[in-house]
Amino acid sequence: MTAELIDGKAFAAALRGRIATAVAALRAEHGITPGLAVVLVGEDPASSVYVRSKGKATVEVGMEGFQHRLSAEAPQEELLALIARLNDDPAVNGILVQLPLPRHMDEAAVINAIAPEKDVDGFTVLNAGRLATGQKAMVPCTPLGCLMLLRDRLGSLAGKDALVIGRSNIVGKPMAQLLLADSATVTVAHSRTRDLPDLCRRADIVVAAVGRARFVQGDWIKPGATVIDVGINRTGDGLVGDVDFDAVREVAGAITPVPGGVGPMTIACLLANTLTATARANGLPEPEGLTP
Ligand code: GUN
């Protein structure tokens, strides 16, 4: 059996199209243009690429993009003062501080300084707690994108055995919460997990977010399983995921490629969150299909 490819690129393009339509309607009917502020501290090359593509995607759907760059040596107070200004700026509906931050900064303190209603990354403790307790939250973009792809492929996730490999605050933990909220039976594996291959063989859904190139092997996969590869690893032979794609593809029912799978969904979901935040800020109905 050769797995069906889950075309995240096409799904994300359709999502961005719907967002652009909704943004145009917001402007025409209410004179509102959603604004997204992206903050980059330092010159990490990968972060610079991400921030540029986020800015480009923002403008393409008709939103206003604000980019703020601070030097790698900027004191934390300068970043906190910028966040405070953005929190108070009515033209800004979403704030994203690109991670990782320089080592002299307290990441949690910086993230939690973002107004929860503008926290389009869903990283503040308030939004993480809301997600965990089933309250209306801003949901982290990558797991939200994975959830959309899974629902599109499988319909209801109720009762499915889902294995999330990785326990980061950005992907693993919120992914597990989203799957649980959809009534999947969720296992979270990590570096200290014993007998990962065996756990994996029981899973109908595997979400790999470990950051290790080609880590998930073909003989770990239950025939017909749906495999979502969150990894983006730069190797000698280009970008590869956390899944040994060629081997897993022969066993799985469906799989996301790298690139062209989860990656494009992350940016589309950032725009979705910005639109949702704008609707909420203005007391307008939220466009459908953008939140869990
Ligand atoms: N660094 C890597 N992924 C992300 C993300 O989704 N959001 C932010 N802010 N930083 C990141």
Side-chain angles (χ1 to χ4, degrees):
M1 176 172 180
T2 302
E4 207 175 292
L5 286 189
I6 299 174
D7 191 345
K9 198 172 165 189
F11 195 102
L15 182 57
R16 289 204 314 269
R18 286 198 289 124
I19 292 168
T21 304
V23 169
L26 257 187
R27 185 177 300 112
E29 292 161 24
H30 302 281
I32 296 167
T33 302
L36 173 63
V38 176
V39 181
L40 176 62
V41 186
E43 281 99 35
D44 177 66
S47 290
S48 299
V49 171
Y50 290 137
V51 164
R52 245 197 321 276
S53 32
K54 285 167 185 174
K56 186 164 162 268
T58 306
V59 174
E60 274 170 10
V61 293
M63 294 181 181
E64 181 125 43
F66 307 97
Q67 298 223 356
H68 296 270
R69 286 169 185 268
L70 271 61
S71 91
E73 291 78 36
Q76 179 166 310
E77 292 68 38
E78 190 179 333
L79 178 55
L80 292 175
L82 171 61
I83 292 171
R85 279 208 309 280
L86 298 172
N87 283 344
D88 288 340
D89 185 344
V92 173
N93 301 104
I95 302 169
L96 180 147
V97 177
Q98 185 67 28
L99 303 178
L101 290 171
R103 290 159 63 102
H104 68 279
M105 291 191 178
D106 175 348
E107 203 160 278
V110 169
I111 293 300
N112 289 318
I114 298 171
E117 66 277 11
K118 297 189 180 187
D119 169 29
V120 284
D121 258 329
F123 291 168
T124 58
V125 280
L126 198 71
N127 279 312
R130 282 178 178 159
L131 175 61
T133 51
Q135 300 174 63
K136 196 188 254 195
M138 296 301 302
V139 175
C141 307
T142 300
L144 178 58
C146 294
L147 182 76
M148 287 181 184
L149 294 178
L150 282 168
R151 284 182 177 164
D152 182 61
R153 161 84 196 166
L154 297 171
S156 168
L157 308 184
K160 304 261 188 234
D161 280 318
L163 176 67
V164 179
I165 312 177
R167 55 174 157 181
S168 70
N169 292 335
I170 296 184
V171 184
K173 283 181 203 157
M175 186 76 250
Q177 294 295 352
L178 287 168
L179 290 163
L180 193 57
D182 264 26
S183 301
T185 302
V186 183
T187 304
V188 182
H190 46 78
S191 54
R192 305 293 291 271
T193 294
R194 281 184 288 174
D195 212 354
L196 179 59
D198 226 40
L199 273 180
C200 207
R201 283 182 198 111
R202 288 185 234 158
D204 306 303
I205 295 167
V206 177
V207 180
V210 263
R212 291 173 65 176
R214 301 192 185 97
F215 178 69
V216 176
Q217 305 293 303
D219 64 355
W220 298 7
I221 300 296
K222 174 161 146 179
T226 302
V227 179
I228 304 290
D229 190 349
V230 180
I232 302 178
N233 306 288
R234 281 160 233 279
T235 70
D237 25 282
L239 277 192
V240 303
D242 289 350
V243 172
D244 184 353
F245 182 83
D246 292 337
V248 169
R249 185 175 190 189
E250 296 307 314
V251 191
I255 183 169
T256 57
V258 176
V262 173
M265 291 300 292
T266 296
I267 293 192
C269 287
L270 173 64
L271 304 172
N273 279 349
T274 304
L275 183 56
T276 299
T278 307
R280 288 179 187 169
N282 289 282
L284 296 167
E286 295 173 26
E288 278 180 28
L290 303 184
T291 53

